[in-house]
Amino acid sequence: MLYTARDNKKYKKRVSRRAIWAWAAIFVFLGFWAGAVYLLRLPAWQIKKVEINGLVIIDFGEIKSKIDSFISGRKFFLLPLSSYPLFNSNNLALLLKENFPRLEQVWVKKIFPDSLEITVKERELFGVFCSPSQISEDEIWEGKCAYIDKAGFAYESAPVSSGSLLLKLKSDAAEPQIGTIVLDHGLMNDLILLSAGLEKVAGIRPIAYEFLSKISSEIKVETNDGFKIIFKRGGDFNKSLQALKTVLEQEVKGKRSQLEYIDLRLGNKVFY
């Protein structure tokens, strides 16, 4: 076997070059990082001006405080989230919608170099949702009922005694959770169609709807005239409304005050 001694001088040179390149790479990286931190922390690039448009009910001070808190945050403990290049418009929009369920839409626009333009759309009230065990004319149950929009979304707690001008929705569903859908899309469509149809066809304003799981085939309507109307859930509402109009005009006429109920669940057969 032939043994050849290693050339220590050449080996040390190779090791030295590798070490030099490694340290050079580290210094370049650190220099780049320091330069980036310096640029991102420049006062000229920090978000300072915030314009908020579209608020109706939500307090300006509350939403501005939440925005300021978001902007004052840090990334990697060094980089300010208020820096224009780092600022994430989508994250702020999501944060506002999570903290303010009344907000249906939020648009955040960055304006170079230091401004934000925020436009919001608040939810449109449809009615007050409560379950039967929580319905009382004499007591207020804070947090037990909720304001909902036309999508059936519960966006804020409501007292039961919310006034006679607000539409009430009575159901034996679970207690409404703020920030969730409490009534399904199909049922909400039925209620919206009925509200518009009753006003247009018969001049009746519904003041409350009742729909219970034990009688899932019907929707009961309390009217501003003091009587109730019973509809078949998922039925032909146009046909039912025309039947209602005929009964009111041709049979009941001027005796609406004496009505207790009108049952429209059986199509052309109307009971009252």
Side-chain angles (χ1 to χ4, degrees):
M1 177 181 290
L2 180 65
Y3 173 77
T4 304
R6 183 169 61 180
D7 189 337
N8 288 330
K9 291 183 178 180
K10 291 182 179 180
Y11 177 73
K12 288 180 179 179
K13 286 182 180 180
R14 286 199 297 268
V15 171
S16 298
R17 287 176 182 174
R18 288 177 184 174
I20 291 171
W21 281 110
W23 280 107
I26 292 173
F27 280 120
V28 169
F29 174 78
L30 291 176
F32 175 81
W33 176 251
V37 170
Y38 173 77
L39 291 174
L40 291 171
R41 291 168 63 94
L42 284 175
W45 280 12
Q46 307 309 308
I47 301 294
K48 304 181 189 70
K49 305 170 188 174
V50 179
E51 180 181 338
I52 307 172
N53 301 309
L55 291 178
V56 179
I57 303 295
I58 298 175
D59 180 69
F60 175 86
E62 289 184 11
I63 199 167
K64 181 63 165 56
S65 175
K66 187 63 64 175
I67 294 169
D68 290 342
S69 176
F70 178 84
I71 291 174
S72 66
R74 298 271 173 174
K75 191 171 186 178
F76 306 129
F77 303 102
L78 286 173
L79 303 178
L81 294 181
S82 60
S83 177
Y84 184 90
L86 289 180
F87 188 83
N88 191 308
S89 299
N90 291 333
N91 285 351
L92 177 58
L94 289 173
L95 176 74
L96 292 178
K97 290 182 72 174
E98 288 174 0
N99 284 271
F100 300 92
R102 183 184 283 272
L103 293 177
E104 183 177 2
Q105 296 290 340
V106 179
W107 298 272
V108 179
K109 180 181 178 181
K110 295 195 296 184
I111 301 175
F112 187 81
D114 62 356
S115 301
L116 290 180
E117 183 180 283
I118 300 173
T119 304
V120 303
K121 178 186 177 185
E122 295 186 10
R123 296 182 183 276
E124 182 181 348
L125 173 66
F126 179 74
V128 178
F129 174 88
C130 294
S131 65
S133 62
Q134 295 152 354
I135 293 173
S136 169
E137 296 299 328
D138 302 320
E139 298 182 57
I140 295 178
W141 299 73
E142 289 289 354
K144 304 299 184 181
C145 300
Y147 296 116
I148 67 170
D149 66 3
K150 290 184 177 181
F153 183 89
Y155 60 84
E156 187 178 320
S157 297
V160 173
S161 56
S162 302
S164 59
L165 294 179
L166 293 183
L167 180 65
K168 294 181 176 62
L169 302 102
K170 307 174 184 179
S171 172
D172 57 357
E175 181 181 318
Q177 299 297 314
I178 305 304
T180 64
I181 297 288
V182 297
L183 296 178
D184 65 75
H185 179 71
L187 178 56
M188 287 305 303
N189 275 347
D190 285 350
L191 300 182
I192 292 169
L193 288 172
L194 284 177
S195 294
L198 284 167
E199 183 72 36
K200 181 178 179 180
V201 175
I204 293 173
R205 181 176 66 85
I207 60 174
Y209 288 107
E210 183 178 295
F211 33 92
L212 306 176
S213 59
K214 61 183 178 181
I215 318 175
S216 59
S217 61
E218 72 176 40
I219 298 175
K220 190 176 293 184
V221 184
E222 296 178 23
T223 72
N224 61 328
D225 287 335
F227 62 90
K228 295 182 179 181
I229 307 172
I230 307 172
F231 288 91
K232 180 180 179 181
R233 184 172 173 179
D236 186 340
F237 293 132
N238 289 327
K239 187 175 181 180
S240 297
L241 289 168
Q242 289 303 319
L244 171 65
K245 181 179 180 181
T246 300
V247 168
L248 290 174
E249 291 179 352
Q250 297 182 13
E251 298 186 37
V252 176
K253 297 180 181 180
K255 300 179 181 179
R256 284 197 188 191
S257 60
Q258 299 178 32
L259 274 176
E260 184 178 341
Y261 71 90
I262 297 179
D263 191 340
L264 299 167
R265 289 175 293 176
L266 300 179
N268 292 327
K269 293 183 179 180
V270 180
F271 298 92
Y272 66 94

